[in-house]
Amino acid sequence: MNMQGLHEKKEGVILSVRNLSTSFFTGSGEVKAVNGVSFDLEAGKVLGIVGESGSGKSVTAYSILQILTHPGRIVGGQVLYKGVDLAKFSQRQMREIRGEQISIIFQDPMTSLNPTYTVGNQIGEAIRLHTSRRGSEVRDRIVELLTLVGINEPQKRADQYPHELSGGMRQRIMIAMAIACEPDILIADEPTTALDVTIQAQILELIQKLQDELGLAVIMITHDLGIIADMCDDIIVMYAGSIAERGSADDIFYNPHHEYTKGLLHSIPTMEKTDDMLIPIAGSPVDMLAMPAGCPFAPRCPSAMKVCMTDMPEELEIGDGHFASCWMNVKDMVMAEAGEQHE
Amino acid sequence: MLRYFLKRLGLALVTVGLIMTITFWAMNAVPGGPFEREKAPEPRVKAVLEARYGLDKPIGQQFVMYVGNVLRGDFGISLKTGREITTTILTGFKTSAKLGAMAIVVAVFFGLIFGMTAALFRNRFPDRLIIFLTTFFVSVPSFVLATLLLLVFSITLGWIPVWSATDRHMLLPVIALALYPMSYITRLTKSNLLDILGQDYIRTARAKGVAGWLIVVKHALRNALIPVITYLGPLTAYILTGSLVVETVFTLGGLGREFITAILQRDYPLIMGTTIFLSVIMIGMTLLSDLIYKIVDPRITFS
């Protein structure tokens, strides 16, 4: 495999996920955590993946990096990074990708850092693994990174242990570790969920700043549409392992074409809406071991039709780069065509 | 840190003092004495002997005298052999400690390796074999294991002499002594390692591109070692001070045997001496393992 080409900077689409399927083979059966997901990520752009717990957004990210844990594995599809299929890479080959080309930060920075090593040691580990820097060069880079992610007294902080730092600072450490080797892609897996609201904004700002300065492509995974509204170029809405709707941020926010997306938008609190004006999505997430035959959202969907219960809707292009998998769109299209013929 | 250490040291002295007091009174409360035999000794002879060793005095006075002597570093002489208690204990401890130290090294080394193997091959053949064997070694009493080892390797196969002037005969007792703690450490390491390997920071290490074996050695093992260290403190004390069974089966004159013989023969100064020695080692090792904690896990603070 030609690994050389992977180190060159590239414009346009750098990550193209095609029909990715990942399953967990549990004692009670196969759980299709990710079921035929496709999307493109362009260099230097921010892609948001939104969905509730168990929708498969994190598993999608872990599949890209192949850091799934037993009994999960990729069962189909491609992960094309600069044209090379990472899904076919061995763990040994993936080690060259992880942390060097594609990095990830996690939800809970407390548990994601090893409690028995200093943060400097843990950042330095990534530097030593992927660069030729040694000794004082590593130290200098650590201090440089800590400064870059906005940590005061970097010399002192580098020698501290995770438990001696605040939650926000720990997430900054995770970010410093992730960007240590100047990757092309940063995956942020619910980076602010475990943090205070005030810190959340700071971390998001930092990610945005770094994305801008370093030209990173960012995959922002979250269950909260509200927090990523301003920073994403494109958004994918996932439900039960499949993509419900994808498009530009404007498409998703102002022209949603999937009942689930509409439901998510209704449940975001804003300045104008008071508590009793928020409309929660009724019902509970689908049982992944007993997936319905049709659209997985149908049992909770306010506009579900007969066909929704029996057949999975195809992905339909609503506009330029805007796709949704919902029978309502098919219905609207058929109605429109019928109307045209009538005239 | 220093304050904590001094506080622990003070507590240790109090503990030793308590152990000393309780043992002294309990020992004397049991009917019979060092000069009682199946054939009752002549009362006059007994009186002379008791007077010679100060056993005729009231028990309170005996205790005060004993504590006074101990504080001056004098543990007395054996009522049976007439040898200095200090010499007797140190001679026995030399054998026991040598044996014990080797056994601990073997137990920790193989315990960690087997534990890691079992964790990494979870539910596959190596894991099942290791768990079967360690369960066996934990459940079979040491006198059976020791006798079996002797029977198989010395008598049937004739590989290792039952006794020799060199250190070769130490091999079987070391194995006999190490099997139980080795099995315990194996199981402890396995379960802890499995727990640690499921932690978020292991995922972080993988996401960084760290190689599989390095993840286990650098990121997982260190955290998995913490409970093993807890176990090692008392274990070291226990093993260093000798095992009666192993020392008896392999005819080695160690401290374990001295201790039991002392009790059986009601050799009061030797009982006291071995008890104090044992408790000092036990407390010392526990303190040491607490200090090692601090090195392995920076989250632990002493206060």
Side-chain angles (χ1 to χ4, degrees):
Chain A
M1 196 136 335
N2 177 22
M3 303 272 288
Q4 208 58 47
L6 295 181
H7 293 268
E8 285 156 21
K9 287 278 170 203
K10 198 171 170 280
E11 295 293 309
V13 175
I14 55 167
L15 184 77
S16 179
V17 173
R18 287 284 155 264
N19 220 6
L20 179 71
S21 294
T22 297
S23 289
F24 285 82
F25 295 88
T26 70
S28 10
E30 178 185 354
V31 176
K32 294 181 175 172
V34 175
N35 196 2
V37 162
S38 304
F39 62 85
D40 292 328
L41 175 67
E42 278 180 54
K45 291 280 175 72
V46 182
L47 171 72
I49 302 184
V50 186
E52 54 195 25
S53 306
S55 59
K57 38 190 207 307
S58 293
V59 177
T60 304
Y62 298 173
S63 301
I64 293 170
L65 281 168
Q66 284 196 45
I67 52 169
L68 295 158
T69 44
H70 182 82
R73 65 167 195 266
I74 297 175
V75 290
Q78 294 175 305
V79 179
L80 299 167
Y81 172 66
K82 296 181 179 172
V84 182
D85 187 6
L86 298 186
K88 292 201 172 57
F89 269 31
S90 66
Q91 285 294 321
R92 179 182 291 269
Q93 288 172 306
M94 279 310 291
R95 292 212 299 268
E96 306 285 314
I97 302 292
R98 297 180 193 139
E100 187 177 339
Q101 312 283 332
I102 306 175
S103 285
I104 184 166
I105 58 172
F106 300 103
Q107 180 173 340
D108 189 346
M110 176 77 243
T111 57
S112 295
L113 287 165
N114 192 327
T116 55
Y117 291 99
T118 61
V119 296
N121 182 318
Q122 297 185 58
I123 298 172
E125 186 177 32
I127 299 170
R128 273 184 293 265
L129 272 170
H130 300 294
T131 68
S132 53
R133 283 175 219 259
R134 291 294 175 269
S136 64
E137 292 171 358
V138 176
R139 180 74 189 187
D140 293 346
R141 177 67 177 155
I142 294 170
V143 172
E144 187 188 341
L145 284 164
L146 290 178
T147 314
L148 188 63
V149 297
I151 286 181
N152 294 324
E153 303 178 84
Q155 290 283 3
K156 182 182 149 207
R157 297 296 179 201
D159 293 325
Q160 287 186 315
Y161 291 94
H163 71 274
E164 296 172 301
L165 305 174
S166 69
M169 236 192 278
R170 284 184 213 127
Q171 195 60 292
R172 287 173 194 268
I173 300 288
M174 286 297 290
I175 294 171
M177 195 192 296
I179 61 167
C181 307
E182 297 174 341
D184 288 326
I185 303 173
L186 174 69
I187 303 175
D189 184 9
E190 307 235 13
T192 59
T193 308
L195 303 175
D196 289 346
V197 180
T198 47
I199 311 294
Q200 280 185 5
Q202 293 177 12
I203 294 294
L204 290 176
E205 262 169 44
L206 173 65
I207 294 175
Q208 231 169 342
K209 182 194 109 174
L210 293 172
Q211 186 256 334
D212 219 42
E213 287 174 10
L214 307 175
L216 286 167
V218 174
I219 298 180
M220 187 65 145
I221 297 173
T222 178
H223 62 265
D224 188 349
L225 255 180
I227 66 163
I228 57 163
D230 298 331
M231 66 183 297
C232 290
D233 298 298
D234 295 303
I235 291 176
I236 292 173
V237 179
M238 282 188 75
Y239 188 80
S242 308
I243 292 180
E245 185 166 2
R246 61 185 166 119
S248 68
D250 283 350
D251 291 336
I252 300 297
F253 277 98
Y254 301 114
N255 190 19
H257 268 72
H258 194 289
E259 289 302 314
Y260 179 60
T261 315
K262 291 178 196 165
L264 280 181
L265 290 168
H266 285 307
S267 56
I268 304 176
T270 62
M271 296 288 269
E272 294 83 35
K273 281 193 251 179
T274 53
D275 265 0
D276 51 331
M277 289 165 78
L278 294 177
I279 306 161
I281 300 174
S284 49
V286 64
D287 177 5
M288 299 290 279
L289 276 167
M291 288 279 271
C295 170
F297 187 62
R300 298 170 74 183
C301 180
S303 333
M305 302 172 291
K306 216 183 246 172
V307 63
C308 301
M309 302 293 181
T310 54
D311 293 280
M312 181 76 191
E314 292 275 313
E315 196 170 59
L316 202 71
E317 184 155 13
I318 310 295
D320 185 28
H322 181 196
F323 298 86
S325 305
C326 180
W327 283 113
M328 291 295 284
N329 301 320
V330 182
K331 182 184 153 199
D332 290 346
M333 202 173 65
V334 173
M335 298 275 273
E337 274 172 19
E340 273 166 28
Q341 277 169 9
H342 206 71
E343 281 165 27
Chain B
M1 176 84 191
L2 186 73
R3 232 184 105 186
Y4 170 83
F5 191 74
L6 289 175
K7 200 175 132 199
R8 284 289 299 265
L9 214 62
L11 267 171
L13 284 175
V14 172
T15 315
V16 174
L18 277 173
I19 291 173
M20 210 162 97
T21 314
I22 293 169
T23 314
F24 194 87
W25 292 87
M27 185 174 76
N28 279 291
V30 181
F35 308 117
E36 305 284 348
R37 292 287 142 78
E38 272 175 50
K39 181 169 161 268
E42 189 81 14
R44 260 191 11 209
V45 175
K46 200 180 154 194
V48 169
L49 280 170
E50 283 185 340
R52 186 170 165 208
Y53 292 106
L55 298 176
D56 55 341
K57 300 203 170 59
I59 195 129
Q61 200 184 336
Q62 282 185 40
F63 182 64
V64 173
M65 275 171 62
Y66 182 75
V67 173
N69 287 337
V70 166
L71 288 180
R72 278 192 297 274
D74 178 9
F75 285 83
I77 55 168
S78 165
L79 302 183
K80 298 293 165 183
T81 60
R83 285 168 67 206
E84 288 259 356
I85 298 297
T86 328
T87 323
T88 313
I89 290 179
L90 287 181
T91 314
F93 182 63
K94 238 175 94 184
T95 310
S96 294
K98 192 171 158 194
L99 195 68
M102 288 194 276
I104 289 167
V105 171
V106 169
V108 172
F109 183 76
F110 288 102
L112 289 180
I113 287 187
F114 290 154
M116 279 163 68
T117 313
L120 295 179
F121 289 89
R122 176 161 53 147
N123 291 336
R124 280 182 276 165
F125 179 72
D127 175 33
R128 287 180 203 282
L129 181 72
I130 286 169
I131 292 309
F132 169 77
L133 286 177
T134 51
T135 310
F136 179 79
F137 292 141
V138 165
S139 8
V140 177
S142 60
F143 62 90
V144 177
L145 280 179
T147 319
L148 259 176
L149 283 171
L150 205 55
L151 189 70
V152 173
F153 292 102
S154 294
I155 312 294
T156 314
L157 296 171
W159 289 353
I160 295 152
V162 177
W163 205 91
S164 79
T166 65
D167 278 347
R168 266 187 78 193
H169 68 285
M170 295 285 260
L171 189 64
L172 289 183
V174 165
I175 294 174
L177 208 52
L179 280 178
Y180 181 89
M182 182 203 79
S183 305
Y184 195 89
I185 292 172
T186 301
R187 298 166 69 86
L188 210 56
T189 307
K190 181 200 164 181
S191 60
N192 283 304
L193 206 52
L194 282 180
D195 178 45
I196 300 288
L197 285 173
Q199 296 285 326
D200 287 351
Y201 54 82
I202 297 299
R203 186 179 58 194
T204 307
R206 289 184 71 201
K208 233 192 283 185
V210 183
W213 64 271
L214 197 60
I215 289 179
V216 174
V217 174
K218 183 181 171 186
H219 289 274
L221 199 58
R222 184 166 179 168
N223 291 290
L225 276 183
I226 294 166
V228 177
I229 293 166
T230 318
Y231 173 64
L232 267 183
L235 172 88
T236 310
Y238 180 76
I239 283 195
L240 284 186
T241 48
S243 144
L244 169 77
V245 171
V246 171
E247 283 166 15
T248 308
V249 172
F250 294 97
T251 34
L252 299 159
L255 196 59
R257 257 175 92 186
E258 294 291 358
F259 189 39
I260 304 297
T261 322
I263 294 169
L264 290 176
Q265 297 188 338
R266 308 298 295 274
D267 193 343
Y268 288 163
L270 193 53
I271 296 180
M272 288 306 294
T274 40
T275 308
I276 294 170
F277 187 74
L278 213 133
S279 40
V280 167
I281 293 220
M282 186 68 95
I283 292 166
M285 285 302 161
T286 313
L287 190 57
L288 188 68
S289 71
D290 283 356
L291 292 178
I292 296 176
Y293 267 166
K294 171 78 186 161
I295 300 168
V296 174
D297 190 344
R299 283 169 299 181
I300 292 166
T301 49
F302 294 133
S303 54

